[in-house]
Amino acid sequence: MSSATHTSLTGRLNTLIIDSGVEGGGAVLVPHGDLVHGCADTLARTLARLPDDTDRVDLDMSEVSFMDTTGLQFLEVLDTYARRRRVRVTATGWNDQPRRVLQLAGLDPDDPLHGPGTRRESVPSVVVLERAEQLDRLRTEVEQLRQAIATRPVIDQARGILMATHACSSDEAWNVLREASQLSNTKLRKVAAEVTAGAEGGGPPPSPELRRALRTAIDRCLN
């Protein structure tokens, strides 16, 4: 049995799917994907389908590699279910980036629902966390991760184009992009996007300034 929701971040984050299994009175849920917008609804639908006699719910979070602040609502849904149904719930096995988010939110990554710093009557809500300075740091970190997710495919494509065109290694292609970015005072992502667009059939070539920077970078890095 599984529930799913799709993310909205340029289609590059992973769809959240929750596999569930019930044995005796215990349920094991295994989310796969990212805890972003819509994840709380996916969990709520999964919990609603559990048998009425379920007395324990264990979530294995090891297949989740990314969460943003809306992922905290995922925990709120789980905590509310536990209090209303009076059942024991756990959410363990968090990976590095989600653990960082939980730590910045003041929760124990090893047991965010019951560990030190967690008020048993309620998991801290996003409204409360917005009053804390640490949430600003959290938002900055998540935004940087979003940019990395959105940027990397474009840069990888440009590196592949340079490797195929100039018979160079991946590291050499990276050095060309970085050098061209510095020489033309252009963001690396824009350099990569123009290289990629120029290689596509009918795509516009890079600007004259960037073409000069690329030629200089290729001469410096590949010759």
Side-chain angles (χ1 to χ4, degrees):
M1 181 170 62
S2 65
S3 297
T5 188
H6 294 273
T7 64
S8 59
L9 181 60
T10 67
R12 288 194 173 93
L13 292 179
N14 294 321
T15 300
L16 180 67
I17 298 173
I18 302 180
D19 294 329
S20 61
V22 179
E23 183 174 348
V28 176
L29 308 184
V30 184
H32 302 259
D34 301 298
L35 298 189
V36 290
H37 180 71
C39 65
D41 293 337
T42 300
L43 177 60
R45 290 193 295 270
T46 302
L47 293 173
R49 290 200 291 266
L50 294 179
D52 291 337
D53 61 352
T54 300
D55 58 17
R56 181 182 179 89
V57 178
D58 296 312
L59 270 74
D60 176 359
M61 307 302 298
S62 61
E63 297 300 321
V64 172
S65 58
F66 180 87
M67 70 178 284
D68 62 14
T69 52
T70 60
L72 298 175
Q73 298 171 10
F74 184 93
L75 291 177
E76 291 180 9
V77 168
L78 184 60
D79 186 64
T80 299
Y81 175 87
R83 289 185 287 111
R84 288 179 177 175
R85 300 290 298 271
R86 296 183 180 179
V87 301
R88 171 74 177 179
V89 298
T90 64
T92 58
W94 299 85
N95 288 307
D96 290 344
Q97 190 275 337
R99 288 179 67 88
R100 175 64 173 160
V101 173
L102 294 173
Q103 289 170 342
L104 290 176
L107 301 175
D108 179 1
D110 293 323
D111 191 1
L113 294 173
H114 312 101
T118 302
R119 294 181 304 162
R120 182 62 193 96
E121 67 273 14
S122 175
V123 174
S125 68
V126 175
V127 174
V128 173
L129 290 172
E130 283 177 343
R131 300 172 186 172
E133 182 180 350
Q134 63 183 198
L135 186 57
D136 291 332
R137 302 200 314 271
L138 174 58
R139 284 174 173 157
T140 298
E141 180 173 316
V142 168
E143 182 58 30
Q144 290 171 345
L145 288 166
R146 285 178 181 269
Q147 289 296 325
I149 290 171
T151 301
R152 184 172 180 179
V154 176
I155 294 176
D156 285 347
Q157 290 176 36
R159 289 168 75 175
I161 290 168
L162 291 173
M163 290 167 65
T165 303
H166 299 283
C168 63
S169 68
S170 178
D171 288 342
E172 288 172 331
W174 167 256
N175 290 334
V176 168
L177 292 173
R178 185 177 58 182
E179 184 80 5
S181 173
Q182 294 172 350
L183 289 171
S184 62
N185 194 27
T186 304
K187 290 185 177 180
L188 183 63
R189 181 181 181 184
K190 182 173 177 58
V191 173
E194 292 209 26
V195 169
T196 302
E200 295 175 350
S207 64
E209 180 183 5
L210 183 53
R211 286 202 302 272
R212 289 193 296 270
L214 282 167
R215 284 196 297 269
T216 301
I218 289 169
D219 288 339
R220 290 182 180 180
C221 299
L222 303 184
N223 296 327

